Amino acid sequence: MLTAVRMFLSHRIANKAVPGWVLEQLYEVGDTRDLPAEAQGEGGGMRLRLRSRHRLQEPESEVDRASDEEVVAMFLACRSARDRLTVLLLSRVGLRPGQVAGLHRCDAHLVPDSRSLGCDLAGSHVHVVRRQNVNGAWSKSRKSWAMPVDFLVVQAFDQYALERHEVLGSGGSDHVLVNLFRPPYGAPVTTEAIGELMESLSRRAGLGRVITPRMCRHAMASNVTDAGGSLDEVQALLGQKHPGSPRPYLHPARSRLREAVDRVPLPRALMQEAGR
């Protein structure tokens, strides 16, 4: 809207329908002389430049983390192995809904040694790959990375594989999560379906609020730091590019805040050490 108003008034000024001083109210008018030589362009002549005075500042909305008790309650409210795996991929692995719905079976390396699969990474892990998917799922991160998974997630994969085989046999999409209980059977689930599942599980578990996939991702990052993980570890696990990106995901446990305060030595103890 701001851009449209500026362009409209600039057009009217150019056609002499609006006085020229209006331009100074919309833009900071300057020239190229205060720019570095490399940015002044060729020709060496002075040119005017405009910088918008009015810009919309959008505050970042704070997202609370899902508590461990809430995640466990939703996990217990699941009625299928597929739904339990979905909850763990969101809250234990920290994937976004688009990344969960976009997982292919070839992305899951759930063996101690994956060299036979053409992968040199040790331990169980899943590869998060940005690709075009038939269900519209999309990984926000442009880069691909491998996310380590623990025994709980591996066990959930195993149970889901048995459940899927009972329904589809060897058929179905190459996607990990597919429709098993309603048509089209074997088609990959969508990101919208994952959101609907989390909303349904929140109600079924009797929680007083709806736990979103993003709150589960926040829970995973906070649990890593509460367990002693560093910011660079959280950044790598979440597949984030910038070092400051993990900070909004951190929600320190109250017990950890108390421990941080208790670690600060008392002034009396410092004075006694100084007097020795």
Side-chain angles (χ1 to χ4, degrees):
M1 291 177 66
L2 288 172
T3 301
V5 170
R6 282 195 293 263
M7 296 303 295
F8 174 77
L9 289 174
S10 298
H11 174 75
R12 302 300 288 170
I13 292 171
N15 287 275
K16 311 298 183 182
V18 173
W21 57 264
V22 173
L23 190 66
E24 298 180 2
Q25 309 303 312
L26 300 176
Y27 298 96
E28 296 177 3
V29 183
D31 57 56
T32 56
R33 289 178 299 180
D34 60 339
L35 294 177
E38 296 80 2
Q40 292 185 15
E42 300 179 358
M46 185 186 72
R47 292 177 297 173
L48 293 177
R49 59 191 180 93
L50 304 176
R51 181 176 183 272
S52 302
R53 290 185 180 272
H54 308 94
R55 300 186 181 189
L56 178 63
Q57 300 294 331
E58 297 187 46
E60 293 187 2
S61 58
E62 293 187 4
V63 177
D64 192 12
R65 61 158 291 176
S67 68
D68 293 339
E69 293 77 12
E70 290 170 328
V71 172
V72 171
M74 289 192 299
F75 184 84
L76 296 176
C78 292
R79 295 172 179 170
S80 68
R82 185 198 63 183
D83 293 350
R84 289 193 291 270
L85 175 60
T86 302
V87 171
L88 290 180
L89 289 173
L90 294 170
S91 62
R92 190 79 178 174
V93 185
L95 298 182
R96 292 186 171 95
Q99 295 165 346
V100 173
L103 280 179
H104 288 225
R105 286 188 281 184
C106 61
D107 297 332
H109 296 173
L110 307 178
V111 291
D113 190 340
S114 300
R115 283 179 291 183
S116 61
L117 303 174
C119 177
D120 295 331
L121 296 177
S124 300
H125 59 276
V126 294
H127 289 270
V128 182
V129 182
R130 190 181 197 184
R131 56 165 71 94
Q132 293 285 351
N133 293 299
V134 296
N135 60 349
W138 187 255
S139 175
K140 184 178 179 181
S141 176
R142 294 184 179 180
K143 71 171 186 177
S144 301
W145 82 98
M147 179 65 188
V149 297
D150 61 10
F151 173 75
L152 188 63
V153 177
V154 173
Q155 189 177 46
F157 263 103
D158 290 342
Q159 294 175 353
Y160 167 63
L162 293 174
E163 180 181 75
R164 171 175 172 150
H165 186 74
E166 290 177 357
V167 177
L168 301 175
S170 59
S173 168
D174 184 56
H175 284 251
V176 171
L177 300 178
V178 297
N179 292 339
L180 298 179
F181 312 110
R182 61 182 180 184
Y185 297 104
V189 301
T190 63
T191 56
E192 292 78 10
I194 292 176
E196 293 171 0
L197 171 66
M198 298 302 292
E199 185 175 352
S200 176
L201 290 176
S202 299
R203 292 195 303 267
R204 199 182 305 163
L207 304 179
R209 60 176 182 167
V210 174
I211 302 300
T212 66
R214 191 177 179 189
M215 294 167 68
C216 292
R217 183 171 166 87
H218 280 242
M220 178 270 180
S222 297
N223 284 336
V224 169
T225 56
D226 287 341
S230 59
L231 280 179
D232 63 326
E233 291 172 339
V234 175
Q235 177 190 351
L237 290 173
L238 295 182
Q240 295 174 326
K241 181 179 180 181
H242 301 289
S245 298
R247 295 191 180 277
Y249 289 86
L250 305 185
H251 306 265
R254 293 186 180 275
S255 59
R256 187 154 65 94
L257 296 178
R258 169 57 59 186
E259 292 170 358
V261 172
D262 291 340
R263 285 196 299 268
V264 179
L266 297 174
R268 180 179 299 177
L270 292 175
M271 293 175 62
Q272 291 175 351
E273 291 182 2
R276 291 178 181 175

